[in-house]
Amino acid sequence: MEQRYEDGLRPVPERSNDDGDTRSLALLMHAAFFLLLGASLARFLLRHPGEARTPWIIGLSVALAVLYVVGPVLGSRPTARSLVWLGGLVVVWMVVVVLAPSFAWCAVPLFYTGLRILPPRAAYALVALLTLFVVAAQLRLAHGFDPNLVLAPPAVAAVATAVFVHMRRQAVRQGRLIDDLLRTRRELAATERREGTLAERQRLSMEIHDTLAQGLSSQQMLLQAADRTWDSDPAAARRHIRTAEGIAERNLAEARRFVHDLAPADLAEGGGLDAALHALAARETAQAQGRLTVRCHIEGAPHTVLPDRTQSALLRIAQGALANVTEHAGATEAALTLTHLDDRTVLDIADNGQGFTPTATASGGVRGHGLPAMRARLRQLGGTLTIESAPGEGTVVTATVPVAPTTQDPA
């Protein structure tokens, strides 16, 4: 890839975004060189026919053309071969200019060639040298001193050099801007991936806590109860084991659902959230074996079908809350109440257990991750979680999720 220099400090690689412009400019300069070379040779042959130097001029013109054609093959990097080639090209041009001053204006494309290949200081020195030759050649062609012939070539060289340097620096700045944008885009994509990964991990942790972890905890308590009553009351021990077996079956269904699409198994069975809450209440009552009765109430009808994400979150919250009731509250009765309102859906989980001080949850007074997981779920849905409880007075956990209003078609 072509090397360029910026501010005379170090080579800067060509950017892919300006390769097309660079090639177009190079083709234009190549065409200009051969046009000027052909015009200069034709002018010399017309004005100096049959002179002794004519064969030399023709031969040097051909050599100059051949050397110039070889240049693109060598590339534009400041390698030893390209520097030797450029030096030979300039020397042959100087010899031709000494023999025939009309070839002087071929220097303009050579300005571009030197600026592309050489470091800035060396390129500026070469431009100055070529300009001096052009001025000297123009003065030789003139019949007298003409200030324009002294001032015009340096002005042309300065303009050409300034335009080239400006274009080069603009290309470098544009390339750096593109690099910055690409780097920013990569960093943004990486950040989004990390955030997505963290969110998915949090979601999975909540799913596992509300299902598998709670189920395993219940199985542990049931198996411990079966072990304690194994000798004194074998029938009760067998009931505990059968209940633990039922919980294990539900956990297996949940685990398979995780593998499939992470949707709650109760929702996957059809019937929506209402049916899933009824099934959850019946199952918790059966598993408690008379120690806890869970009832389910549905108030109102949804004006629109709740999104799967909302149904899943509310069901998981109900599961987590009932698991807390079973494990911590010491309650004998609990109630699930799902209320469908115009602009929101409200789920209440109430129990008559021992209660607690809600402010203790903020300082880690309640063990586990149930309540933080519920809040996190609702926060993702734009909902809220409120807790009403006091020691000895039971607990009411209320989850509220906003529902997008539906537009009715005009009659």
Side-chain angles (χ1 to χ4, degrees), residues 89 99 117 119-120 122 127 134 189 201 236-237 262 264 291 352 362 368 375 403:
L89 183 67
L99 295 177
I117 294 178
V127 169
V134 172
R201 287 177 178 175
L262 297 179
R291 297 187 306 274
N352 64 347
R375 289 193 177 96
V403 176

Side-chain angles (χ1 to χ4, degrees), residues 43-318:
R43 182 179 185 276
F44 177 82
L45 294 177
L46 290 174
R47 296 196 175 190
H48 307 280
E51 291 189 5
R53 56 179 174 162
T54 299
W56 288 98
I57 297 299
I58 296 174
L60 289 172
S61 298
V62 173
L64 193 61
V66 171
L67 277 174
Y68 195 88
V69 170
V70 173
V73 178
L74 299 177
S76 299
R77 292 183 179 180
T79 60
R81 290 192 303 173
S82 62
L83 294 177
V84 170
W85 166 81
L86 180 60
L89 183 67
V90 171
V91 168
V92 172
W93 173 81
M94 289 180 176
V95 174
V96 174
V97 171
V98 170
L99 295 177
S102 58
F103 284 81
W105 286 107
C106 293
V108 175
L110 296 182
F111 292 164
Y112 171 77
T113 303
L115 289 169
R116 287 183 64 200
I117 294 178
L118 298 176
R121 292 182 180 178
Y124 300 153
L126 177 62
V127 169
L129 177 63
L130 297 178
T131 303
L132 289 176
F133 264 78
V134 172
V135 171
Q138 294 302 308
L139 291 176
R140 285 178 58 191
L141 291 174
H143 298 291
F145 178 78
D146 187 347
N148 287 333
L149 299 180
V150 177
L151 299 178
V156 172
V159 171
T161 302
V163 170
F164 179 85
V165 170
H166 176 73
M167 292 177 58
R168 180 179 63 190
R169 290 180 177 176
Q170 286 292 102
V172 170
R173 293 190 185 101
Q174 183 182 15
R176 288 181 173 177
L177 178 60
I178 292 175
D179 285 347
D180 290 341
L181 291 175
L182 291 175
R183 183 171 58 254
T184 301
R185 187 172 67 178
R186 288 194 295 269
E187 292 174 354
L188 179 60
T191 300
E192 290 177 347
R193 285 194 297 270
R194 287 194 298 270
E195 291 178 351
T197 300
L198 292 175
E200 184 64 15
R201 287 177 178 175
Q202 183 184 30
R203 189 173 73 88
L204 285 175
S205 68
M206 292 187 299
E207 294 284 344
I208 293 172
H209 173 272
D210 292 343
T211 56
L212 300 181
Q214 299 289 2
L216 291 173
S217 177
S218 298
Q219 290 179 60
Q220 182 184 29
M221 290 189 297
L222 288 167
L223 292 175
Q224 289 173 347
D227 182 63
R228 289 194 300 270
T229 60
W230 189 265
D231 295 327
S232 60
D233 191 351
R238 283 193 292 271
R239 286 197 302 272
H240 291 321
I241 292 176
R242 285 194 296 270
T243 302
E245 182 183 5
I247 295 175
E249 182 180 357
R250 294 299 307 176
N251 277 1
L252 180 60
E254 290 286 358
R256 288 171 176 170
R257 181 57 55 186
F258 287 155
V259 175
H260 185 259
D261 59 3
L262 297 179
D266 287 328
L267 290 176
E269 293 173 358
L273 180 60
D274 296 357
L277 291 175
H278 279 292
L280 174 63
R283 185 168 62 252
E284 292 293 332
T285 300
Q287 292 174 358
Q289 297 181 354
R291 297 187 306 274
L292 175 66
T293 301
V294 181
R295 295 181 175 85
C296 181
H297 308 281
I298 308 297
E299 297 182 358
H303 296 273
T304 183
V305 177
L306 293 177
D308 292 342
R309 186 182 179 191
T310 300
Q311 295 189 54
S312 177
L314 291 176
L315 179 58
R316 293 304 191 200
I317 289 171

